[in-house]
Each structure stands twice: as structure tokens, then as C-alpha cells.
Amino acid sequence: MTQAITDPKQASAALAELFSTHKRVVFFGGAGVSTASGIPDFRSVDGLYHQQFAYPPETMLSHSFYEAHPAEFFDFYRTKMIALGAKPNRCHTKLAELERAGKLSAVVTQNIDGLHQMAGSKHVFELHGSVHRNICQSCGTVYSAEWICSREHEDAAGVPVCPACGGRIKPDVVLYEEPLDEHVLTGAVAAIAAADALIVGGTSLVVYPAAGLTRYFTGDTLAICNLAPTDQDANADLLISCDIAAAFAFWPARADTIERLIAKRPRRLLPSAAARAF
């Protein structure tokens, strides 16, 4: 039976219990993880896909658009995809803390903002790449997001060029019409398959193939933390519908604190994976 929670304090207590009763927890996150850091998501009412641009965002974020309209692509990339002022929120920092404490095995993220690494997470699988890596297609030199935004080396149309060789720069992000990186995908699948608990957070689970990775989970407990419903809600043991940063505002990684927190609420037995149909 699914436990549904909307109160952030109750959500924090439930997540604290999950981390205290599982040994191999993996977090699978999407754009909703970074909204508390000031980065808009894509599909909510205020998301990028509901804003007006000269071209639809899905078009501008395609490989063919990058090839045919590089000036328009980089204008959108600089202004809408790179957020240099964004800082990790409570969800990012808590996940990094849990990893250091040996409570979290890996983060699998659809985000390209690098906030998990900025918070201190080490074992991160970036399914869609990162804006912090921008690679010359001729010599392979890697440039930062800061370099892209500085606009120090551009052609007459405003397209960044490599100062080392004059080659064309491409962000190390997965655009529409491009496959996911095989090495990253393999690592993410292995982490999810080995998990005894999977937390899905801040994602509507509609972007494939990334959303399909949840089918590799065969562990004990599936938790979904998202403001809007997802197609996988019926499979969840724990369903949290509140701000994800608030939900992750729980205990420091100390065993005595964990025990005190858990003692305040009755233990709940979660149904096993065998009782769910994926």
C-alpha cells in the first residue's frame, strides 16, 4: 500500500527512516530538484516550454538546430540553459552529506547544471551531460560555462570558437536527436539495479530514455517525490508531494539523531518489489 505524504515535516521523517533502513539508496532526479535554486523547470506552468520564443524550446535544443542555426542556439543556451549564479539547495547538500556518510550509493540526474557536484556529491551520473563542459569539435579542448558566457572568442555571428585552433564549440549536453552517453547510461543502470531503495525526485518521468531507467529497479522500496503526479505513482511505496528541498531538510548523518527521529513515529512495513507490477 502506498503511503502518500504532502506535509514537508512528515516527508522528512519518512525519508529519514528510508535512509536508516536501507543500505544501497540511489537518487534519480530531474529539473524539479533545481527549481529551489532558481533554475526553471521545463513542463510546469512557469517552465521553459510554456514561455514564448522565436522557436519552440524543443526545436532550439535539437542537434539539427545547433547545426543549422548556431547563433540562435548559443543565444538560447547562454541565456536559458546556463545559470552561473545558481547555488545548491537543501536537496543537493543533503544528498552530498548522505553520500559522505555512506548512506547514498549514487545520484542519477537528468539535470545539466552541475549543482550536485557543487554541493559535494562525487558519484553522479549526468544522463544529459553538463553545461560546465563545452568541447571544441576539432582539438577537443574543454571550456567552462563561464568561458561561454564571457563571449571573449566568438565569430561575427556570436558563435563561440576555439581560441586554440578556431574550431567549433559544442556543449557537452545531450540534445534532442542525440543518444545518451553509453558509459554514463551503463553506470546509471548498474547503480539503479543494485539499489535496495530508489528515490525519484523532481521529475515527471516523461523524458525517455532517461525515464525508462526506473524499470531496472528491483529493490525493496520505491519513493517518488514530485509536486505533480507521474505515471509511476501507482508503483510507489512512498509518494511525497511537496517541495523537495523542504522534504530533504532532515537529520544530520548521525546514528543517535536517526534513532531519536524514528522513535517518534510508528514503524511501517513497506511492500516488497514482488508486490508491484512494473
Side-chain angles (χ1 to χ4, degrees):
M1 181 177 177
T2 301
Q3 180 187 14
I5 297 175
T6 58
D7 178 73
K9 291 184 178 179
Q10 293 180 12
S12 293
L15 288 173
E17 181 177 353
L18 184 153
F19 277 103
S20 71
T21 55
H22 295 78
K23 297 182 181 299
R24 300 180 307 280
V25 183
V26 169
F27 180 84
F28 179 90
V33 175
S34 295
T35 52
S37 296
I39 299 177
D41 62 11
F42 293 90
R43 292 173 176 79
S44 68
V45 175
D46 298 320
L48 285 177
Y49 288 174
H50 292 278
Q51 298 179 26
Q52 296 298 314
F53 302 101
Y55 303 88
E58 299 96 321
T59 299
M60 289 189 284
L61 292 174
S62 66
H63 181 84
S64 56
F65 192 86
Y66 161 80
E67 292 286 353
H69 305 278
E72 291 91 340
F73 171 87
F74 274 103
D75 181 62
F76 184 80
Y77 178 64
R78 278 190 299 264
T79 58
K80 297 299 181 181
M81 304 308 293
I82 297 177
L84 294 181
K87 302 297 181 185
N89 61 55
R90 186 57 172 164
C91 181
H92 297 108
T93 57
K94 177 55 66 175
L95 289 170
E97 176 187 334
L98 290 163
E99 181 187 293
R100 290 193 297 271
K103 298 289 185 180
L104 182 74
S105 299
V107 170
V108 179
T109 180
Q110 300 173 77
N111 296 340
I112 60 176
D113 50 44
L115 291 182
H116 285 293
Q117 290 91 333
M118 189 182 297
S121 291
K122 304 297 184 184
H123 200 197
V124 181
F125 296 99
E126 296 176 310
L127 295 175
H128 297 153
S130 173
V131 298
H132 297 285
R133 298 184 300 270
N134 300 274
I135 305 171
C136 174
Q137 301 301 284
S138 297
C139 71
T141 301
V142 180
Y143 296 95
S144 67
E146 288 81 2
W147 183 86
I148 291 289
C149 292
S150 71
R151 311 193 66 167
E152 293 178 0
H153 297 277
E154 296 181 338
D155 63 17
V159 178
V161 295
C162 177
C165 73
R168 190 174 188 179
I169 306 295
K170 183 182 182 299
D172 187 22
V173 299
V174 179
L175 303 175
Y176 287 107
E177 306 166 352
E178 295 179 345
L180 301 185
D181 180 273
E182 185 175 347
H183 177 74
V184 174
L185 183 60
T186 299
V189 168
I192 292 172
D196 60 1
L198 177 65
I199 302 174
V200 177
T203 174
S204 54
L205 292 174
V206 297
V207 177
Y208 284 82
L213 297 188
T214 57
R215 73 178 186 270
Y216 292 99
F217 175 65
T218 58
D220 296 327
T221 304
L222 173 65
I224 297 179
C225 182
N226 198 57
L227 288 174
T230 78
D231 291 340
Q232 303 251 358
D233 286 0
N235 297 325
D237 301 298
L238 177 61
L239 190 60
I240 296 172
S241 180
C242 69
D243 178 75
I244 193 169
F248 273 83
F250 58 92
W251 49 271
R254 288 177 48 186
D256 58 339
T257 308
I258 296 170
E259 294 303 322
R260 288 199 303 271
L261 182 61
I262 295 174
K264 294 179 180 179
R265 62 192 299 268
R267 272 302 285 277
R268 176 180 56 84
L269 295 178
L270 295 174
S272 66
R276 296 195 305 265
F278 283 88

